[in-house]
């Protein structure tokens, strides 16, 4: 008989931990194995918490190709598909394979600094900001065309799945995840007689990359923030943002509808 392994991760909240134990027991009673540590050969990863907990699990295990199911324990829970009182229903449907997989696109950024290269990946977004309170200046190209010298706090490059997160707070558009586009949203752009920057988001097709050449200033570093996780660079020569081949698989049930989710979470 094949061993059917399911990885479970929960955030540190007492309630999430309680749900984790309950779910583990229920899965074991249904014949599944729940490994103590991350098992790369598991058939499913269950993340208990909010979107933040799910994003941290995704990054910790470097965007595994195993499908994820999110159990929401009292946060916004945009990625989280089920509520803790639906565990039995989930196991029932899962055993009958009555679910759909939503494939979500990811964004990547390559940072060049002298001879060094750093790769970052995001399911929601990747942001470049200054490490200090001063304005940063970014020379931005789209494809091979130079577009603008941006001045402000920074820029955000998001996927459709990330369009409802930080991007939305910045005035960016909500994008249906069935579209394959990247959205570039300015963060506090300056648009004065001294500085000229686009003030709205720009939407790009998947084959176009965005290249950013930050202007180096003394003692000014940069932060690259991928899905809320900060990475500091004392200087950056170039950052290229583009689509990544990696997709994240999310388990969704029959009733899932992106726009219903938007409505129930935002309106
Ligand atoms: P956080 O600062 O604790 O939470 C930000 C909020 O965004 C949480 O309510 C989170 O949901 C929600 N969220 C995450 N992904 C979402 C998505 N795709 N659509 C709609 N809402 C989403 O940080 P976190 O929980 O670790 O999440 C990281 C994300 O926070 C980043 O990827 C970034 O998009 C977002 N963020 C937003 C702002 C802002 O809006 N001003 C600033 C910084 C970062 P849960 O409550 O379920 O965790
Ligand atoms: Mn959170």
């Amino acid at each position: 008989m094949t061993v059917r392994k399911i990885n479970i991760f929960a955030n540190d909240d007492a309630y999430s931990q309680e749900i984790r134990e309950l779910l583990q027991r229920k899965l074991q009673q249904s014949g599944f194995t729940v490994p103590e540590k991350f098992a790369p050969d598991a058939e499913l990863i269950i993340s208990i918490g909010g979107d933040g907990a799910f994003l941290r699990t995704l990054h910790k295990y470097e965007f595994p190709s195993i499908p994820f199911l999110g159990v929401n324990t009292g946060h916004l829970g945009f990625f989280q598909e089920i509520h803790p009182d639906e565990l039995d229903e989930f196991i029932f449907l899962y055993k009958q394979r009555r679910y759909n997989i939503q494939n979500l696109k990811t964004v990547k950024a390559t940072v060049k600094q002298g001879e060094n290269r750093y790769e970052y990946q995001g399911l929601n977004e990747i942001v470049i900001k200054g490490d200090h309170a001063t304005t940063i200046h970014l020379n931005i190209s789209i494809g091979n065309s130079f577009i603008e010298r941006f001045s402000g706090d920074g820029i955000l490059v998001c996927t459709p799945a990330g369009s409802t997160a930080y991007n939305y707070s910045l005035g960016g558009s909500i994008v249906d995840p069935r579209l394959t586009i990247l959205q570039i949203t300015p963060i506090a752009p300056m648009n004065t007689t001294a500085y000229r920057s686009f003030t709205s988001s720009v939407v790009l097709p998947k084959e176009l990359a965005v290249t950013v050449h930050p202007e180096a200033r003394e003692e000014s570093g940069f932060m690259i923030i991928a899905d809320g996780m900060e990475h500091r660079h004392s200087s950056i020569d170039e950052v290229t943002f583009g689509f990544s081949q990696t997709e994240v698989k999310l388990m969704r049930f029959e009733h899932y509808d992106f726009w219903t989710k938007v409505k129930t979470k935002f309106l």
Side-chain angles (χ1 to χ4, degrees):
M1 217 181 81
T2 54
V3 179
R4 299 185 63 180
K5 294 181 193 166
I6 297 182
N7 292 316
I8 308 182
F9 295 96
N11 67 17
D12 294 335
D13 294 359
Y15 182 53
S16 299
Q17 290 294 335
E18 195 183 299
I19 297 304
R20 176 213 168 92
E21 277 167 37
L22 181 66
L23 179 59
Q24 178 162 347
R25 260 199 321 276
K26 285 178 185 289
L27 285 171
Q28 286 165 345
Q29 280 161 6
S30 297
F32 295 98
T33 299
V34 179
E36 287 291 313
K37 280 194 199 139
F38 178 76
D41 60 342
E43 59 183 45
L44 179 67
I45 302 172
I46 300 178
S47 158
I48 303 170
D51 292 322
F54 162 68
L55 291 167
R56 284 185 288 278
T57 309
L58 186 65
H59 279 255
K60 185 171 176 199
Y61 296 103
E62 299 177 329
F63 290 72
S65 56
I66 310 167
F68 278 88
L69 171 76
V71 182
N72 193 25
T73 50
H75 300 262
L76 181 72
F78 217 82
F79 291 118
Q80 308 301 74
E81 179 66 355
I82 68 163
H83 191 262
D85 63 16
E86 297 171 317
L87 301 180
D88 292 322
E89 192 186 350
F90 149 66
I91 294 171
F92 175 78
L93 294 172
Y94 184 66
K95 283 167 87 175
Q96 297 180 60
R97 301 188 188 280
R98 278 166 61 191
Y99 54 82
N100 298 309
I101 296 294
Q102 182 182 33
N103 287 297
L104 297 176
K105 290 154 187 95
T106 58
V107 54
K108 68 177 181 190
T110 306
V111 173
K112 292 183 191 167
Q113 205 176 318
E115 295 295 297
N116 299 320
R117 298 272 180 290
Y118 305 86
E119 296 276 346
Y120 299 106
Q121 192 145 19
L123 174 60
N124 274 344
E125 77 284 291
I126 303 180
V127 170
I128 177 170
K129 272 187 184 173
D131 207 1
H132 295 278
T134 50
T135 320
I136 62 167
H137 305 279
L138 305 171
N139 292 295
I140 301 177
S141 302
I142 296 176
N144 293 320
S145 307
F146 173 74
I147 301 298
E148 66 166 352
R149 177 178 183 266
F150 168 91
S151 299
D153 284 3
I155 61 161
L156 170 150
V157 181
C158 72
T159 63
S163 67
T164 47
Y166 194 3
N167 172 68
Y168 184 61
S169 306
L170 294 167
S173 294
I174 296 179
V175 178
D176 189 306
R178 284 164 285 207
L179 293 175
T180 304
I181 58 103
L182 283 181
Q183 186 170 181
I184 323 300
T185 298
I187 307 173
M190 295 167 78
N191 193 32
T192 62
T193 51
Y195 299 105
R196 287 254 163 252
S197 310
F198 276 132
T199 55
S200 75
S201 296
V202 169
V203 173
L204 301 181
K206 68 168 186 299
E207 55 278 5
L208 276 184
V210 179
T211 312
V212 171
H213 291 97
E215 279 177 22
R217 297 240 169 145
E218 256 173 70
E219 293 174 47
S220 73
F222 298 94
M223 270 199 297
I224 301 290
I225 312 167
D227 294 340
M229 281 149 264
E230 296 176 2
H231 305 273
R232 290 193 157 71
H233 288 267
S234 53
S235 70
I236 287 179
D237 294 333
E238 183 187 283
V239 189
T240 307
F241 297 92
F243 254 97
S244 158
Q245 294 302 319
T246 308
E247 289 190 337
V248 173
K249 296 185 173 73
L250 274 190
M251 183 167 290
R252 299 294 195 185
F253 294 97
E254 206 178 357
H255 54 80
Y256 173 79
D257 172 62
F258 174 74
W259 291 103
T260 305
K261 193 98 174 171
V262 170
K263 191 179 134 191
T264 54
K265 299 289 177 186
F266 290 174
L267 299 178

